[in-house]
């Protein structure tokens, strides 16, 4: 086997473990979310993540390899940080709790985006076009999950700004005050 193919397989084994960990972490994130749209975003991404695992399994098959996961230390760290945010969120207000969860989730998404970007490039380099297609579809979903989190964050950030305004001025923020 070429070294490049070995690298592709090793990176796929790493991200498979990362995705497996996420199927356990996302339900906890969803449970901790206060905003219903955020909860929905986590649930949607859980369904997508299961699909990512299936695509990886298909990609392994196309490459004639067993779908085997090797420990992904980076995701272990990101998931551990996410768990800390969940624990800390218990005593916090809705805005801070949800923004902390979004921050943790976006770190995960950015890790996955970079991982799938590398994988896709390696597959293309090796002429594994079917594998490349599968990885590109997953990459697109990771990017849209990241975008969705930013969209969900906007009204939460606005609510935080209003709260701050009220705390500082004692007045309700009216429309047009930004
Ligand atoms: Fe994923």
């Amino acid at each position: 086997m070429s070294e490049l193919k070995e690298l592709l397989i090793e990176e796929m084994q790493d991200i498979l473990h990362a995705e497996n960990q996420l199927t356990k972490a996302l339900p906890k994130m969803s449970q901790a979310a206060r905003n219903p749209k955020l909860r929905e975003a986590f649930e949607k991404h859980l369904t997508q993540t299961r699909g990512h695992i299936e695509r990886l399994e298909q990609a392994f098959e196309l490459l004639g390899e067993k779908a085997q996961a090797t420990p992904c230390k980076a995701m272990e760290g990101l998931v551990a940080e996410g768990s800390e945010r969940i624990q800390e969120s218990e005593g916090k207000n809705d805005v801070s709790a949800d923004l902390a969860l979004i921050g943790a989730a976006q770190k995960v998404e950015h890790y996955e985006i970079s991982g799938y970007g590398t994988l896709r490039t390696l597959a293309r380099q090796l002429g594994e076009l079917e594998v490349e297609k599968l990885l590109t579809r997953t990459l697109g979903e990771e990017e849209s999950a990241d975008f969705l989190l930013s969209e969900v964050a906007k009204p939460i950030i606005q609510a935080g700004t209003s709260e701050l305004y009220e705390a500082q001025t004692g007045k309700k923020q009216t429309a047009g005050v930004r």
Side-chain angles (χ1 to χ4, degrees):
M1 192 192 298
S2 75
E3 279 187 24
L4 217 52
K5 188 169 175 186
E6 247 172 59
L7 181 61
L8 172 66
I9 287 159
E10 279 170 17
E11 292 290 329
M12 279 169 53
Q13 290 170 335
D14 179 277
I15 211 148
L16 178 60
H17 188 249
E19 298 281 24
N20 283 336
Q21 289 185 70
L22 276 183
T23 59
K24 291 174 203 134
L26 280 165
K28 293 178 195 159
M29 300 282 275
S30 162
Q31 219 177 358
R34 316 264 176 98
N35 182 295
K37 290 229 163 69
L38 181 57
R39 207 171 304 139
E40 226 173 83
F42 285 140
E43 278 159 21
K44 183 180 176 192
H45 199 54
L46 175 61
T47 308
Q48 287 177 323
T49 298
R50 294 196 179 111
H52 300 171
I53 292 171
E54 274 172 31
R55 281 193 204 120
L56 282 170
E57 286 167 353
Q58 288 169 30
F60 276 112
E61 210 182 316
L62 284 164
L63 294 167
E65 291 291 321
K66 265 214 298 217
Q68 213 181 330
T70 53
C72 173
K73 295 191 194 94
M75 188 60 81
E76 279 171 3
L78 290 170
V79 166
E81 278 189 16
S83 300
E84 277 173 30
R85 296 290 166 271
I86 291 172
Q87 276 175 8
E88 290 161 4
S89 79
E90 281 165 18
K92 289 192 172 163
N93 67 34
D94 291 355
V95 169
S96 328
D98 281 346
L99 289 180
L101 292 178
I102 291 171
Q106 286 194 297
K107 281 184 190 170
V108 166
E109 286 319 308
H110 283 237
Y111 178 75
E112 289 195 296
I113 289 166
S114 80
Y116 280 105
T118 301
L119 286 175
R120 178 181 66 162
T121 304
L122 286 172
R124 187 189 302 151
Q125 190 71 26
L126 286 161
E128 295 287 353
L129 301 185
E130 283 304 307
V131 174
E132 183 198 351
K133 230 187 269 175
L134 289 167
L135 297 168
T136 300
R137 278 174 63 193
T138 296
L139 176 61
E141 286 181 4
E142 305 292 13
E143 284 168 343
S144 66
D146 180 48
F147 179 78
L148 178 62
L149 286 168
S150 292
E151 287 301 302
V152 169
K154 281 179 191 167
I156 299 173
I157 292 166
Q158 184 56 45
T161 308
S162 302
E163 265 172 33
L164 203 62
Y165 180 83
E166 280 172 44
Q168 283 170 349
T169 64
K171 285 185 246 164
K172 280 240 175 260
Q173 194 183 31
T174 51
V177 179
R178 291 284 182 270

